Amino acid sequence: MTETFARRLTGVAGIAAAVALIVEVPLYFVYSGPPPDTNVLARLLLGIVALACLVVFVTAFRELVKRTHPGYEWAGSIASATGLVYATITLVSMGLEAGAVIAADRPVDPTITVSGTYILYGSISRLMLGLFLTAVGYTVARTDVLHRWISRSAYVLAAINLAFVPSLFFGNTPAHFYAANGWGTTALMGAVLSYWLLAVGISTYRSSTCLHDSIAA
């Protein structure tokens, strides 16, 4: 894998993951009561696609660091590993939700009825995502493999995610901002991640074009 290809793959995967997440998040707010199965399954499908793209993004980012700054491959590996753990945890949560919705004989709100996902979507995901963003921020700051604003923004988002880790002590009401499965803990953090990924993906892909032009010159 060349540096140019690694940058392009990281950028495209980040953009694809972001677009799927951006479309998914609003679907959580369409219905005030238990949503129809089609709504739940559609948003879960979008989430699954987004996480598959995220897996490619974190893997390609590790390869990019390995190609350009081998001395910091360990930091890229930490970012990749924590990103993969985050994706795995969220995929398990989505599987539990989908199973509950498919098996139910009436519309159910899986954000309430599937209690096993409360801290999977909440505290555990926030911790893993916080570690992932911290590792990305550190790697970019030390290597300049991507633009510096990515490092600074990753640190800020990491701090915000870590601030939501204690939310498991504050109940299970999705309408509350700060709760185990509250909209701030889950939906808002997902929305913030999506727009950050979109910006990072675009920036990374554009950097591959600049690199290609400089090599051609």
Side-chain angles (χ1 to χ4, degrees):
M1 180 184 291
T2 64
E3 180 183 349
T4 300
F5 181 74
R7 288 181 182 276
R8 287 177 176 171
L9 182 59
T10 303
V12 169
I15 293 169
V19 170
L21 287 172
I22 290 170
V23 176
E24 174 201 10
V25 171
L27 295 178
Y28 282 85
F29 301 96
V30 175
Y31 299 93
S32 57
D37 291 359
T38 52
N39 172 271
V40 178
L41 296 178
R43 71 197 191 198
L44 290 176
L45 179 59
L46 286 167
I48 291 168
V49 172
L51 290 167
C53 294
L54 183 63
V55 168
V56 177
F57 174 83
V58 300
T59 304
F61 175 76
R62 181 193 64 199
E63 290 300 313
L64 175 59
V65 175
K66 179 181 177 181
R67 290 287 177 183
T68 57
H69 297 81
Y72 285 91
E73 182 183 354
W74 64 270
S77 295
I78 291 176
S80 178
T82 50
L84 291 174
V85 171
Y86 167 75
T88 301
I89 290 170
T90 310
L91 286 169
V92 170
S93 301
M94 289 179 172
L96 293 172
E97 283 196 3
V101 170
I102 293 171
D105 57 0
R106 56 184 175 77
V108 296
D109 185 351
T111 62
I112 299 175
T113 57
V114 186
S115 58
T117 66
Y118 289 172
I119 66 167
L120 289 176
Y121 274 134
S123 297
I124 296 176
S125 288
R126 300 285 69 76
L127 179 58
M128 290 298 103
L129 194 55
L131 292 175
F132 163 71
L133 290 165
T134 300
V136 170
Y138 177 85
T139 304
V140 174
R142 291 291 183 175
T143 64
D144 286 330
V145 67
L146 299 175
H147 290 296
R148 300 285 291 183
W149 68 262
I150 294 176
S151 174
R152 294 190 291 269
S153 61
Y155 281 138
V156 171
L157 293 183
I160 295 173
N161 273 273
L162 293 175
F164 278 93
V165 172
S167 61
L168 77 168
F169 291 104
F170 294 87
N172 64 327
T173 303
H176 292 172
F177 175 78
Y178 197 87
N181 58 338
W183 65 269
T185 310
T186 57
L188 178 62
M189 290 297 95
V192 171
L193 174 66
S194 65
Y195 287 103
W196 182 82
L197 279 173
L198 180 62
V200 172
I202 293 172
S203 177
T204 305
Y205 188 84
R206 291 181 64 183
S207 72
S208 72
T209 303
C210 295
L211 178 65
H212 181 269
D213 291 342
S214 65
I215 293 174

